Amino acid sequence: MTDKTIIEARDLDLYYSDNHALKGVSIAIPQHQITALIGPSGCGKSTFLKTLNRMNDLVPGVRITGTIEYNGEDIYGRDVDVTRLRKQIGMVFQKANPFPMSIYDNVAYGPRTHGIRGKAKLDAIVERSLRDAAIWDEVKDRLNKSALGLSGGQQQRLCIARALAVEPDVILMDESTSALDPISTSKIEDLAMELKSRYTVIMVTHNMQQAVRVSDNTAFFLLGELVEYGETERIFSHPQDKRTEDYITGRFG
């Protein structure tokens, strides 16, 4: 495994109008590992995640200072192509959000947007993405049926396939198992661990057991600050900050 940094934030501050939502966050995220972002509700985890592919650009009144570099380039630089950035840094949301179209068209949507039209090529991308998302065997005979007919866990894996179809470098997962039953959750956790050999995975989770099970590194956020960050095993067995210890032992949050 490489410890090459793929994303690095330095002195990142984010304001929603007058609300100071992220305060001086500096973090280096290594490639081909799973980094979990933990902390109580409203502490800045999802806000931080969304700065990494500029989803916060869509929120009125947002102001960001500091830098975020992806492969050494400032993603908030003037000449950054945000569409291309979001192709490289894909996102899977908390609630599965398949498009109201067929399973096939859900996965082919991104590649078509980026100019891929040939049927053979799209067929290959759709199959590869669904296989990579560990759902091909369940849907291969119903690719032309509506994605909305899938179960919640299947819809979420379809959304992962949709993110993989454009061949991203990084996959952001915003509590993407919180609405799922334990079996579907387990499938997505296994999937995340398989994907990290080819992708970098950054996940927001409320579930500390999940962070322990799947992540290599854990970042603990509290009230917009990054309190502590390091190898998951160390964070959970020897936290350096009293606030981290209080949170992971259940004294608050």
Side-chain angles (χ1 to χ4, degrees):
M1 283 293 162
T2 165
D3 279 344
K4 173 180 181 275
T5 293
I6 188 164
I7 291 178
E8 183 164 12
R10 289 191 205 95
D11 301 320
L12 181 71
D13 281 86
L14 181 142
Y15 300 83
Y16 293 123
S17 302
D18 297 334
N19 171 21
H20 194 177
L22 291 175
K23 302 168 185 168
V25 173
S26 294
I27 185 172
I29 294 172
Q31 191 176 33
H32 295 310
Q33 293 189 13
I34 299 178
T35 298
L37 312 179
I38 64 167
S41 290
C43 66
K45 312 181 293 289
S46 291
T47 297
F48 174 69
L49 194 75
K50 288 174 187 157
T51 61
L52 302 180
N53 69 346
R54 293 188 50 172
M55 290 297 276
N56 287 319
D57 289 16
L58 308 170
V59 181
V62 159
R63 194 159 56 79
I64 293 175
T65 61
T67 58
I68 297 178
E69 288 185 354
Y70 161 64
N71 282 333
E73 283 184 45
D74 181 1
I75 67 167
Y76 285 89
R78 279 205 183 136
D79 45 359
V80 168
D81 177 342
V82 177
T83 306
R84 185 158 169 266
L85 175 74
R86 291 188 189 137
K87 176 179 185 288
Q88 294 165 316
I89 303 179
M91 186 147 195
V92 182
F93 295 90
Q94 180 169 358
K95 195 170 177 325
N97 58 343
F99 302 136
M101 50 177 78
S102 72
I103 292 168
Y104 183 99
D105 286 338
N106 262 273
V107 184
Y109 183 88
R112 282 181 178 136
T113 307
H114 293 288
I116 295 171
R117 293 279 181 271
K119 185 176 181 324
K121 191 151 191 205
L122 285 171
D123 286 354
I125 289 171
V126 168
E127 178 171 346
R128 187 203 73 229
S129 305
L130 290 167
R131 281 189 187 281
D132 283 354
I135 190 176
W136 171 253
D137 291 336
E138 293 163 56
V139 301
K140 62 176 191 255
D141 300 323
R142 49 199 272 212
L143 294 177
N144 296 319
K145 297 256 177 23
S146 168
L148 303 179
L150 296 172
S151 72
Q154 289 173 322
Q155 287 188 7
Q156 195 59 294
R157 279 180 287 145
L158 176 66
C159 292
I160 293 172
R162 194 172 68 195
L164 297 178
V166 296
E167 300 187 0
D169 237 4
V170 179
I171 300 164
L172 309 177
M173 300 176 83
D174 191 5
E175 292 194 52
S176 23
T177 60
S178 64
L180 302 180
D181 62 88
I183 290 172
S184 301
T185 296
S186 173
K187 283 186 174 163
I188 297 217
E189 289 180 2
D190 290 347
L191 176 56
M193 289 192 279
E194 280 170 36
L195 292 174
K196 75 175 182 185
S197 62
R198 284 168 296 152
Y199 307 92
T200 300
V201 179
I202 305 169
M203 63 194 314
V204 166
T205 179
H206 263 307
N207 180 331
M208 284 186 278
Q209 286 74 34
Q210 180 172 69
V212 171
R213 283 194 298 266
V214 305
S215 70
D216 302 287
N217 312 291
T218 295
F220 170 53
F221 282 81
L222 185 63
L223 301 173
E225 284 179 45
L226 174 59
V227 172
E228 190 165 349
Y229 171 58
E231 287 184 8
T232 298
E233 199 178 336
R234 182 194 67 69
I235 293 276
F236 281 91
S237 55
H238 301 293
Q240 318 270 286
D241 190 295
K242 179 83 171 63
R243 293 169 293 174
T244 314
E245 187 180 346
D246 286 349
Y247 182 69
I248 62 182
T249 54
R251 288 196 194 104
F252 73 89

